[in-house]
Amino acid sequence: MTKINILPNIAFFDSSQGGLTVWENVLKRFPNLNTQYLGDNARCPYGNKSQETITRYASEATLYLASRNALLLIIACGTASSVAAKELQHLFKLPIIGIVEGFCKFVASLLQDKTRTVAVLGTKFTVRSNRFNEELGANGVEKVWARACPLFVPLVEEGISQGPMVDAACDMYLWDIPEDTKVVMLACTHYPRLTLPIAESLERRLGKTVIYKSIDGDWVLKLGSKEQNDPIYLVESSLPIVNFVEQFIVSNQYENILNHGEKQVLCTDSPEQFESIARFFTSIPLPKVEAVEIQT
């Protein structure tokens, strides 16, 4: 593969545009960071594919981004993180982080009573992989309730983040969430665009206040109808990723070589369509989206 003259950067990879939610939050903390983002929209979604296929796709993306001077790769995809991150960490010298380990450790730190339920909302393959259950258990969480929400991604990618269809989908997936749930994890990077309808569905089901924990602080999304001081925390994966990036930059003394503000956004199919959908995931102006071909 031809070496390309690109500034040292931190790379992000997702099956499509959802990982831009992670990219955006990292850039909120480090606005001058050199970054490249690759969305494999030609082969999206990953959530209904086999473990072997997902790992192959993620390996090809890793090799491609490594050839473009990446110093760190963030797998900003819940499915690929659940399925392929550990294997990629063994295969490549490039430092690689997925959203699972740090996310689970962060959530466990929120859970003072480890007997309370943590709910995980993700794709079919994320839930079937059991990776979140394993990592949460390793961090002392005793009860995990996982639910696949396959309608969420296509709704978001159609630009539908509120209204009757979204409300119906949320109620369908959350109707039997346990009464003692304390934390709800958004284990897919598309799902932060549905935080409000998810919070409203949780309140309809459990009657409790829902607090969204984000890089911008804690936000009350929905006040509970029950008079009790026992809120539910709704959490997405960006905050632990942002903290990891900060530690990575400082520990490797990369402050001076990563601060030119170079941003590149790549996709594997139809950059115009990619960009039209991307606006639902980030408020940061995108550079011109470039279509690239990943060698297989």
Side-chain angles (χ1 to χ4, degrees):
M1 188 174 291
T2 304
K3 191 74 173 180
I4 301 173
N5 186 22
I6 294 173
L7 291 175
N9 61 81
I10 291 180
F12 298 75
F13 165 64
D14 184 30
S15 61
S16 58
Q17 295 91 345
L20 288 168
T21 57
V22 179
W23 177 79
E24 176 181 56
N25 283 326
V26 170
L27 286 174
K28 283 181 179 179
R29 179 78 62 88
F30 306 102
N32 294 320
L33 191 66
N34 302 340
T35 61
Q36 58 177 328
Y37 179 96
L38 173 61
D40 189 14
N41 57 327
R43 303 187 289 195
C44 176
Y46 283 9
N48 57 6
K49 293 178 171 63
S50 69
Q51 179 174 345
E52 293 75 15
T53 297
I54 295 167
T55 301
R56 175 166 59 84
Y57 288 174
S59 298
E60 292 164 359
T62 301
L63 186 63
Y64 181 79
L65 292 168
S67 76
R68 295 170 58 91
N69 219 0
L71 300 177
L72 168 69
L73 173 63
I74 296 168
I75 305 177
C77 172
T79 301
S81 294
S82 300
V83 174
K86 285 192 172 182
E87 184 165 348
L88 295 181
Q89 288 162 353
H90 289 299
L91 289 174
F92 293 90
K93 292 182 179 180
L94 175 70
I96 296 171
I97 180 173
I99 67 173
V100 180
E101 292 88 345
F103 194 9
C104 291
K105 184 177 181 180
F106 176 74
V107 165
S109 72
L110 296 177
L111 201 66
Q112 294 183 347
D113 180 358
K114 294 297 191 289
T115 66
R116 295 286 295 272
T117 294
V118 171
V120 178
L121 308 182
T123 66
K124 288 181 178 179
F125 209 105
T126 294
V127 171
R128 195 161 64 242
S129 74
N130 216 38
R131 284 283 291 116
F132 278 86
N133 302 60
E134 293 170 356
E135 285 296 326
L136 288 166
N139 283 280
V141 177
E142 297 181 13
K143 292 190 290 185
V144 179
W145 180 87
R147 175 57 49 85
C149 308
L151 290 177
F152 283 177
V153 169
L155 283 169
V156 171
E157 292 200 345
E158 288 294 327
I160 304 171
S161 59
Q162 58 185 345
M165 285 192 294
V166 177
D167 292 341
C170 291
D171 288 346
M172 178 177 67
Y173 293 136
L174 298 173
W175 72 272
D176 59 342
I177 192 170
E179 295 279 351
D180 72 334
T181 297
K182 185 62 179 178
V183 182
V184 177
M185 300 175 70
L186 303 180
C188 172
T189 51
H190 282 69
Y191 295 2
R193 290 300 174 261
L194 301 177
T195 50
L196 183 56
I198 289 172
E200 290 172 341
S201 182
L202 289 169
E203 195 282 327
R204 285 194 292 272
R205 166 73 178 91
L206 301 175
K208 296 181 180 181
T209 294
V210 181
I211 297 175
Y212 180 44
K213 298 189 77 69
S214 74
I215 189 174
D216 298 316
D218 291 358
W219 299 85
V220 176
L221 291 181
K222 186 67 179 179
L223 285 173
S225 57
K226 294 181 179 179
E227 293 184 5
Q228 55 179 307
N229 187 24
D230 183 28
I232 295 173
Y233 295 118
L234 186 61
V235 190
E236 49 97 6
S237 59
S238 290
L239 187 55
I241 291 289
V242 172
N243 292 339
F244 180 90
V245 169
E246 183 171 27
Q247 294 168 7
F248 177 82
I249 292 171
V250 172
S251 63
N252 290 283
Q253 298 181 331
Y254 282 150
E255 292 93 338
N256 292 330
I257 66 172
L258 286 172
N259 63 359
H260 296 278
E262 182 177 274
K263 301 176 182 65
Q264 297 183 335
V265 177
L266 314 170
C267 66
T268 53
D269 186 42
S270 185
E272 295 81 10
Q273 183 184 23
F274 183 95
E275 189 169 356
S276 69
I277 297 172
R279 63 189 174 88
F280 296 115
F281 294 94
T282 178
S283 59
I284 295 177
L286 295 180
K288 183 175 176 59
V289 179
E290 179 185 352
V292 297
E293 184 175 349
I294 300 176
Q295 293 183 3
T296 58

